[in-house]
Amino acid sequence: VSRTIGVDLGGTKVLAAVVDDGELISSAKVPTPASGGASAVVGAIERAVGQAVDEAGGGEVVGVGLGAPGVVDPDSGTVVAAPNLTGFDRPVPLAALLADALGQERVVVDNDVNAAAVGEHRLGAGRGVDDLLVVFVGTGVGGGMVLGGRLRRGPGGLAGEIGHMVVAERDGRRCSCGHPGHVEAYAGRGAMEAEARRCHEGGERSLLVEAASGKRIKSGAWRDALEAGDAVATRLVDDAVVALGAGLASVVHAVDLELVVVGGGLADKLGATFVGRVEQAVRSRLLVPTSPLRVVPAALGDASGVLGAALLPT
Amino acid sequence: VSRTIGVDLGGTKVLAAVVDDGELISSAKVPTPASGGASAVVGAIERAVGQAVDEAGGGEVVGVGLGAPGVVDPDSGTVVAAPNLTGFDRPVPLAALLADALGQERVVVDNDVNAAAVGEHRLGAGRGVDDLLVVFVGTGVGGGMVLGGRLRRGPGGLAGEIGHMVVAERDGRRCSCGHPGHVEAYAGRGAMEAEARRCHEGGERSLLVEAASGKRIKSGAWRDALEAGDAVATRLVDDAVVALGAGLASVVHAVDLELVVVGGGLADKLGATFVGRVEQAVRSRLLVPTSPLRVVPAALGDASGVLGAALLPT
């Protein structure tokens, strides 16, 4: 038996899948409960897993892996803090709760970005490469660092926190974490939207902001605004490319890599052109132009999280 | 027999030492020839090694390690380029030439900063730690990255090039490598001196520049100017602390570390106060204040290069 269950626990939905040798056999989605505390979330995971297993025609599984949106201690399977989940404002021993609820001995819980990075490394654009960084450019900018074929966490769990690399020490835009000049303050969709709204309110008319009205500006809207030549969107995406290029060049000058995989909602929508521009931005900042570094788009899209989670117990 | 010979090949002097189990038994210094090509340099190394061996009372050695100031291919022992050495403007198979000249089978040649980082890791302030960065703050800013107990080079040989991490993408001071906003443009003594002279010539009187007159401003002069309250020196050292803090915070957010060792001529002269300020600057920029990271002064001073070189063949 090589089947495992992967769970991508998000702030709005729980995605569960049965995965066999890297192949997705079945999947099911349920909404993440907005109230009821941790036990309600565990119940929702149980339902999603049950549906996915039923759809796969039942059968034995050898383990469950889950990616959670927050700070996780993977050794104990505890979600230390996950502000977007009800009942997770204090530590929740999620692996133990799920082992009990699902009747599974082997349950592994990790951070969702780590799980997705494992997915891209083992099954996606990073297959066969031992030293790589997987960067996800979405609402924020996160990543997973793989060195010597293994996901690196580091002694303080900060490895791969690419969004918080410093690219503009002085007078930099302020990051959601409070520090100035971080990559995420330029390349995270949340920060980019805030900046676009500031520009628009400052009198620089932006189709991007007008089209979204009061609603969240989605990744597809950024792509559409770029294609329509919107000046604010064009400038802010340029800034994002520069910040990612500088941050990734710093990664290369710190540990050197052969591959950077760029995924996440915004990068997926902006596509290969965006990733190619990021590659150019990185290469143009390297000390040695002969570096073997390649920067490529992620291959698994939204599925990286659930596929990577399914690999965690293996 | 556990004795080895270490050679620190510099632009002005060749330092050779006999080292036994990490202990320096004897050493000798000769000037680096300014003409005569690679064979003259090999001859100088031969003389320095001969003197050190004589002083140690002769005896067998099991290998020779050498740190060279330039781009080195450690696998072949070739110095690819070393602009500060006569005759090294094209690749020189230094390990093979030395094996022949010294009658030694085992000769290992590496970059001088890598050798010094190995010295601090194995015999200095990094003893017993598996994940650390050794940064040398001197004329430039270089470093060696040790992960899992081993010096990391990376597929393009760029690992540990901390001086070229980007900390000010826009309007940053220009680095000697041509790119804007690198750590070295703020924290390298060469760049700091150039900036101090610009300030002085711009009318901001600096004791630091006046005292040096037309000569190179040495590390000790920076310390003296700081102690005397020189405004230009104070501001530029503040800038260096900020740039190092930002660059090292980026390293932590990329791979995470438990230890950063800070050495090199300028850091050694400015002492523990400077290193403590760098530690504060790093910590204040970390996403998680509970990080176990420590930043400490190097322990071996100038000897790190020759001691580390002696460890290369072991």
Side-chain angles (χ1 to χ4, degrees):
Chain A
V1 179
S2 58
R3 286 189 176 186
T4 59
I5 291 169
V7 180
D8 186 1
L9 173 58
T12 57
K13 65 178 174 19
V14 181
L15 180 64
V18 175
V19 177
D20 194 342
D21 199 21
E23 201 185 334
L24 196 143
I25 305 297
S26 66
S27 67
K29 202 188 290 188
V30 306
T32 306
S35 64
S39 62
V41 173
V42 170
I45 295 169
E46 212 180 333
R47 282 198 305 283
V49 168
Q51 287 175 29
V53 169
D54 284 350
E55 205 194 305
E60 207 185 331
V61 298
V62 295
V64 178
L66 180 143
V71 181
V72 177
D73 173 14
D75 292 332
S76 66
T78 301
V79 179
V80 178
N84 293 330
L85 294 176
T86 171
F88 284 71
D89 45 354
R90 54 185 172 185
V92 174
L94 189 58
L97 293 174
L98 282 178
D100 197 41
L102 300 171
Q104 282 287 336
E105 274 186 26
R106 178 140 180 81
V107 179
V108 180
V109 175
D110 205 334
N111 169 268
D112 55 353
V113 175
N114 281 348
V118 167
E120 283 293 339
H121 172 224
R122 300 263 302 275
L123 302 171
R127 282 170 82 157
V129 176
D130 278 346
D131 287 349
L132 73 154
L133 175 71
V134 186
V135 188
F136 295 103
V137 183
T139 307
V141 176
M145 178 72 77
V146 176
L147 292 176
R150 298 186 52 195
L151 185 72
R152 181 173 170 84
R153 303 173 191 286
L158 288 174
E161 286 284 2
I162 300 308
H164 302 283
M165 294 187 73
V166 182
V167 291
E169 173 54 34
R170 308 255 189 210
D171 307 321
R173 279 186 214 154
R174 199 154 290 273
C175 184
S176 60
C177 76
H179 293 307
H182 285 186
V183 170
E184 183 167 300
Y186 298 87
R189 198 186 47 219
M192 289 167 72
E193 172 169 343
E195 189 69 18
R197 291 189 184 281
R198 266 193 294 277
C199 294
H200 189 70
E201 283 156 21
E204 190 179 12
R205 183 167 169 262
S206 167
L207 294 170
L208 180 73
V209 176
E210 279 179 9
S213 182
K215 291 190 192 145
R216 188 169 73 80
I217 303 176
K218 294 188 175 174
S219 295
W222 281 93
R223 181 197 54 206
D224 297 345
L226 271 194
E227 284 172 2
D230 182 67
V232 170
T234 301
R235 192 176 68 242
L236 292 178
V237 171
D238 287 352
D239 289 349
V241 167
V242 166
L244 285 166
L248 294 174
S250 285
V251 174
V252 173
H253 289 135
V255 289
D256 206 5
L257 293 170
E258 45 187 311
L259 184 69
V260 174
V261 174
V262 181
L266 185 60
D268 288 349
K269 281 284 189 237
L270 297 182
T273 309
F274 175 75
V275 176
R277 291 183 62 200
V278 171
E279 174 160 20
Q280 271 309 107
V282 181
R283 296 198 72 84
S284 72
R285 285 166 178 78
L286 293 184
L287 197 54
V288 180
T290 54
S291 161
L293 178 77
R294 292 174 300 128
V295 181
V296 303
L300 303 178
D302 286 346
S304 60
V306 75
L307 285 170
L311 290 168
L312 294 176
T314 64
Chain B
V1 181
S2 58
R3 286 190 176 186
T4 59
I5 292 168
V7 180
D8 185 359
L9 172 58
T12 57
K13 63 176 173 18
V14 181
L15 180 64
V18 176
V19 176
D20 194 343
D21 198 20
E23 202 185 334
L24 196 142
I25 305 296
S26 65
S27 67
K29 201 189 288 188
V30 306
T32 305
S35 64
S39 62
V41 173
V42 170
I45 296 169
E46 212 179 334
R47 282 197 304 283
V49 168
Q51 287 175 28
V53 169
D54 284 351
E55 204 194 305
E60 207 185 330
V61 297
V62 295
V64 178
L66 180 143
V71 181
V72 177
D73 173 15
D75 292 333
S76 66
T78 301
V79 179
V80 178
N84 293 330
L85 294 176
T86 172
F88 285 70
D89 45 354
R90 55 186 170 183
V92 174
L94 189 58
L97 293 173
L98 282 178
D100 198 40
L102 300 172
Q104 282 286 335
E105 273 186 29
R106 179 139 180 82
V107 179
V108 179
V109 175
D110 205 334
N111 169 268
D112 55 353
V113 175
N114 282 347
V118 167
E120 282 293 339
H121 171 224
R122 300 263 300 276
L123 302 172
R127 282 170 83 158
V129 175
D130 277 347
D131 288 348
L132 73 152
L133 175 70
V134 186
V135 189
F136 294 103
V137 183
T139 308
V141 177
M145 177 73 76
V146 176
L147 292 177
R150 297 187 53 195
L151 185 71
R152 180 174 171 84
R153 301 172 191 287
L158 289 173
E161 286 285 3
I162 299 307
H164 302 282
M165 295 188 73
V166 182
V167 290
E169 173 55 35
R170 309 256 188 209
D171 307 321
R173 280 186 213 153
R174 198 155 290 274
C175 184
S176 59
C177 76
H179 294 306
H182 284 186
V183 169
E184 184 168 300
Y186 298 87
R189 196 186 49 220
M192 289 168 71
E193 171 168 343
E195 188 70 18
R197 291 189 184 281
R198 266 192 295 276
C199 294
H200 190 71
E201 283 156 21
E204 189 179 13
R205 183 168 170 263
S206 167
L207 293 170
L208 180 72
V209 176
E210 279 178 10
S213 181
K215 292 190 192 144
R216 187 168 73 80
I217 303 176
K218 294 188 175 175
S219 294
W222 282 94
R223 181 198 52 207
D224 296 345
L226 272 194
E227 283 171 4
D230 183 66
V232 170
T234 301
R235 193 176 66 242
L236 292 178
V237 171
D238 286 352
D239 288 350
V241 167
V242 167
L244 285 167
L248 293 175
S250 286
V251 174
V252 173
H253 289 136
V255 290
D256 207 6
L257 293 170
E258 45 187 311
L259 184 69
V260 175
V261 174
V262 181
L266 185 61
D268 287 351
K269 281 285 189 235
L270 297 182
T273 309
F274 176 74
V275 176
R277 291 183 61 200
V278 171
E279 174 160 20
Q280 271 308 108
V282 180
R283 297 198 72 83
S284 71
R285 285 165 179 78
L286 294 184
L287 197 54
V288 180
T290 55
S291 161
L293 177 78
R294 291 175 300 128
V295 181
V296 303
L300 303 178
D302 286 346
S304 60
V306 75
L307 286 170
L311 289 168
L312 294 176
T314 65

